[in-house]
Amino acid sequence: KKMAGILPKNKANGVDFCGVNSDYYIIRSDLGCYMFSTNFHRGYNLTVHNLHPSCRGGDHYLALDDNTFYIIKGNSYRRVSDMTRDIDAVVSDLHPNCRGGDHYLSAYGNFYVIFQSRGVYRRTTDLSKDSGAYECTLHPNCQDGLYYWGTKSHSYFVKPKGQWGFEYHKTDNLNKDTDAATFSIHPDVLNFLPGGLAETQGPAFGKWELIKTIFNDSETPIEWNKKITRKVGYTKSKSSSLEHNWKVAISATYEPGDLIKLLSKFQFSMSAEYGGSSVNTENESWEEATEVEESVNLTLQAQAKLYVWQYKLGFGEDDVLFCRDLRFDDEPNPPADVPLPPANKHNYPTTKPRQME
C-alpha cells in the first residue's frame, strides 16, 4: 500500500502554515513551537521558535502582511503581533459566515476561508464583520491542498503526494490558478511536518532482534549465571544531525536532538498509512543510547537452547530506539507481539508541549 505521507490538516491538531510578506511559517502547536523559513523549496533560514502558551492549541493559524498573526480556536480568534511573546493580543468573534472553514489564509490583504467539501472559498476583508464578502469556486488544480497559506502576493498549498514526492503550489488566484508554479519541498522542511520523517528517512519499523543464543549441549541441566549486554536508549547524536540546518531558538537549555526526539515519538505514534508504527514510546528511555548490562540466572535443561530477544524501532534502514525489555524464548523465531502500548489514535501525538520549554 502506498504511503500517504504527510498528515493532512484535518487530522493534524494544531499544525498549520501561514505567511508574512515573502516569509513562511509552519506551526506545530502540538510540540509548542513553530518554524520560520524564507524559502521552503531551498530550505533557507530555517529557525525554530517557541510558541507562547496562549498561542497554542489553535485550530487554524494565518497571518496578514503587516506581521499580524491570527489564531482561530472554535468560533473566536486571537490576533497577536508576535507568537513567541503573545504581544498586542486582541480576541474577537468570527462572523457566523466565516466559521467552520477547513482552511484559513490571508493573501493580498484579504482573508480567505476555504470550504473544501463544497469546493469554494469565501473572501472577506474582516473575519469578524464579514465585510465585502463573496464566494468563489476553487480552481480544480487548487481544490485538494493538505495545508493552505498566503503571502502578500500569492496563495500557496501543499499538494497530496504525487509522482515526484511532496510539492507545494503557488498561484496569484485560487479561482483561476494564474501565475502558477509548483516546487518540491526541501527535506529539512519535510522533517518538521507530521509524517515527514518517514518521507525523508524511510517508514518506521519495529522488530525483535536476536541478541544472544544460550545452548546447553551437555546431557544434564546446567545453571547459567552471566551478564547480558545490550544497547538501550535513543540514537541521539546520530539523529540530531537531522537538525543541522535548523537554528533552534527555543530555550537556553535546548540540547541538539531534542526536537527530532519529539518528532520521532510523533512519527512512531502515527499509523502505517503515514509511515508510523502506531506505538506509544513515552515510557521508553529517550536518553542517548548506552550499553547496559543485566545479570541473568537461569537453569537450562539438557540439550536445550534459549533465545534472547530485544525490541527496537527505527526509520528506513536506521535504528533509532532500543527498548528496555529482554524476552527469553525457546523458539528460534522472533516473538509475534509488540511490547509497546498502542498509540492513542485520536490524539496525535503522545508528546506534551511542556517538554519543549
Side-chain angles (χ1 to χ4, degrees):
K1 184 172 174 226
K2 201 176 100 190
M3 259 189 353
I6 302 298
L7 204 61
K9 170 100 190 66
N10 59 7
K11 291 187 180 179
N13 263 346
V15 182
D16 209 348
F17 286 63
C18 59
V20 171
N21 296 326
S22 55
D23 301 330
Y24 309 146
Y25 295 81
I26 301 173
I27 318 298
R28 288 296 303 259
S29 172
D30 55 318
L31 305 181
C33 59
Y34 63 90
M35 175 180 273
F36 166 89
S37 173
T38 54
N39 189 315
F40 280 163
H41 173 55
R42 297 184 181 243
Y44 284 163
N45 304 305
L46 301 177
T47 317
V48 182
H49 300 274
N50 218 13
L51 194 59
H52 189 280
S54 300
C55 297
R56 293 179 190 175
D59 301 321
H60 303 275
Y61 291 79
L62 60 154
L64 267 178
D65 311 328
D66 60 357
N67 236 40
T68 317
F69 297 89
Y70 289 73
I71 299 140
I72 295 175
K73 198 184 278 192
N75 291 329
S76 63
Y77 63 85
R78 184 182 194 88
R79 197 182 79 210
V80 300
S81 61
D82 184 316
M83 290 190 291
T84 297
R85 296 178 294 168
D86 191 42
I87 293 173
D88 306 323
V90 178
V91 174
S92 310
D93 284 332
L94 282 172
H95 188 277
N97 295 344
C98 299
R99 294 176 186 174
D102 297 302
H103 302 271
Y104 289 77
L105 65 137
S106 167
Y108 340 107
N110 300 312
F111 297 98
Y112 295 81
V113 186
I114 292 178
F115 299 95
Q116 224 162 358
S117 55
R118 291 199 286 133
V120 301
Y121 63 85
R122 186 175 190 85
R123 195 209 87 161
T124 176
T125 55
D126 189 317
L127 288 171
S128 62
K129 300 193 181 84
D130 195 35
S131 338
Y134 62 82
E135 275 196 3
C136 257
T137 42
L138 285 164
H139 188 277
N141 296 348
C142 303
Q143 284 179 0
D144 58 355
L146 304 180
Y147 296 88
Y148 289 78
W149 71 101
T151 59
K152 194 170 266 185
S153 47
H154 288 93
S155 303
Y156 297 83
F157 56 91
V158 176
K159 293 164 61 141
K161 189 175 181 180
Q163 184 183 2
W164 307 106
F166 276 98
E167 300 176 312
Y168 65 100
H169 188 81
K170 161 184 163 179
T171 175
D172 68 358
N173 189 315
L174 289 169
N175 169 247
K176 301 191 175 77
D177 196 30
T178 42
D179 191 24
T182 299
F183 305 93
S184 59
I185 301 176
H186 194 281
D188 290 335
V189 176
L190 270 183
N191 283 340
F192 193 69
L193 292 174
L197 278 179
E199 285 301 311
T200 64
Q201 308 304 303
F205 65 81
K207 62 183 178 197
W208 290 99
E209 185 174 31
L210 181 62
I211 57 169
K212 195 164 190 65
T213 308
I214 307 165
F215 181 43
N216 176 10
D217 54 5
S218 74
E219 298 304 320
T220 51
I222 58 162
E223 286 291 315
W224 197 85
N225 303 318
K226 285 197 179 154
K227 286 186 163 60
I228 292 181
T229 306
R230 88 272 190 202
K231 205 179 256 192
V232 173
Y234 159 56
T235 57
K236 185 171 176 175
S237 48
K238 185 171 185 299
S239 297
S240 64
S241 69
L242 293 174
E243 289 181 19
H244 70 278
N245 286 333
W246 298 352
K247 180 168 180 269
V248 182
I250 283 176
S251 73
T253 55
Y254 181 79
E255 286 185 16
D258 282 353
L259 190 47
I260 287 291
K261 171 168 78 180
L262 294 189
L263 291 162
S264 299
K265 284 183 185 181
F266 186 100
Q267 187 68 54
F268 288 135
S269 78
M270 292 170 78
S271 65
E273 186 185 356
Y274 297 103
S277 288
S278 303
V279 292
N280 179 339
T281 56
E282 282 297 317
N283 297 329
E284 290 301 321
S285 165
W286 281 89
E287 298 304 314
E288 176 76 66
T290 52
E291 296 289 334
V292 174
E293 275 192 346
E294 188 166 324
S295 297
V296 177
N297 306 315
L298 45 88
T299 304
L300 210 53
Q301 298 305 317
Q303 296 296 322
K305 258 189 181 174
L306 198 59
Y307 301 89
V308 187
W309 301 91
Q310 180 189 18
Y311 200 72
K312 64 179 183 180
L313 294 161
F315 300 121
E317 305 290 313
D318 295 328
D319 298 335
V320 171
L321 185 69
F322 299 93
C323 299
R324 283 199 188 93
D325 295 342
L326 290 179
R327 181 74 59 85
F328 296 85
D329 205 339
D330 51 12
E331 277 288 313
N333 301 320
D337 63 310
V338 174
L340 293 164
N344 181 344
K345 282 286 171 292
H346 306 290
N347 186 22
Y348 288 133
T350 51
T351 309
K352 300 167 194 67
R354 64 165 183 262
Q355 290 173 269
M356 293 304 294
E357 286 161 34

